[in-house]
Amino acid sequence: METTLIILKPDAVQRGLIGAITSRFEQKGLQVVGMKLMRISQELAAEHYKDHAGKPFYAGLVRFMTSEPVVVLALRGMGAIGVCRNLMGATFGSKAAAGTIRGDFGISNSFNLVHGSDSPEAAARELALFFKQGEVLDGKRAIDQWVYDHSGGKPE
Ligand code: IDP
Ligand code: MG
């Protein structure tokens, strides 16, 4: 099981898409184990996006991410990091495939609705940036017996 960090970016919140986008992840079978509405500070944006510092879009990205509140989610599931990236679609809304979140809800390249961690290392680092100790609550869900096949002794 993996846990990944998802951010519903300011455009998603302003456009009233918190429910619609969160539903995509829930309908897939991912478990919401952390969730909050928050503002991202300059310092947090800089730390979160430090790998992009110096790129042409960096200043605009930090301005965008700090402009209005976001919703941060911790999502848990088998292969959750890659599963979420697939659900999100390609980075640019104009290029993202239909059926993906970015492909279905947006057309902008920078206002692309959602962030998702791209590796186990990034997920661990980003979850620690956005959630304090004790804010991620990964209890058992009753529906997991139907979301996963447990007949072999472990979820498949
Ligand atoms: P990702 O969000 O699909 O992982 P990254 O390359 O990590 O994409 O870029 C981080 C964010 O920076 C993107 O989600 C998007 O909001 C913004 N971004 C990336 N490349 C561009 C660009 O060429 N123009 C404008 N914004 C960009
Ligand atoms: Mg990225």
Side-chain angles (χ1 to χ4, degrees):
M1 287 288 169
E2 287 178 348
T3 307
T4 189
L5 179 84
I6 297 294
I7 305 175
L8 308 185
K9 296 184 178 184
D11 54 334
V13 176
Q14 292 298 312
R15 290 177 55 200
L17 294 173
I18 296 171
I21 296 175
T22 304
S23 284
R24 294 288 185 105
F25 294 112
E26 283 194 296
Q27 286 167 351
K28 179 70 174 170
L30 291 150
Q31 180 181 4
V32 177
V33 293
M35 185 174 200
K36 63 182 169 186
L37 181 73
M38 63 178 283
R39 275 187 184 277
I40 299 183
S41 67
Q42 293 291 323
E43 297 69 35
L44 181 55
E47 183 59 32
H48 175 64
Y49 282 123
K50 67 179 181 190
D51 293 347
H52 293 305
K55 294 184 184 170
F57 60 86
Y58 175 77
L61 177 61
V62 169
R63 204 177 318 120
F64 167 48
M65 293 300 288
T66 57
S67 64
E68 291 291 341
V70 300
V71 170
V72 289
L73 297 166
L75 298 182
R76 181 169 186 260
M78 206 165 69
I81 296 164
V83 166
C84 287
R85 295 284 297 186
N86 285 337
L87 290 174
M88 288 162 52
T91 299
F92 295 161
S94 59
K95 302 263 166 55
T100 65
I101 293 166
R102 286 165 168 173
D104 286 354
F105 291 115
I107 197 161
S108 165
N109 292 341
S110 44
F111 288 12
N112 59 0
L113 300 153
V114 68
H115 164 84
S117 308
D118 63 6
S119 67
E121 297 69 35
R125 184 179 88 84
E126 295 173 358
L127 285 164
L129 285 177
F130 286 88
F131 289 99
K132 296 195 201 74
Q133 195 84 36
E135 286 184 339
V136 174
L137 313 171
D138 54 350
K140 280 250 174 298
R141 281 189 313 183
I143 63 158
D144 276 341
Q145 61 184 312
W146 292 109
V147 171
Y148 296 102
D149 173 2
H150 286 87
S151 60
K154 57 175 174 40
E156 277 193 18

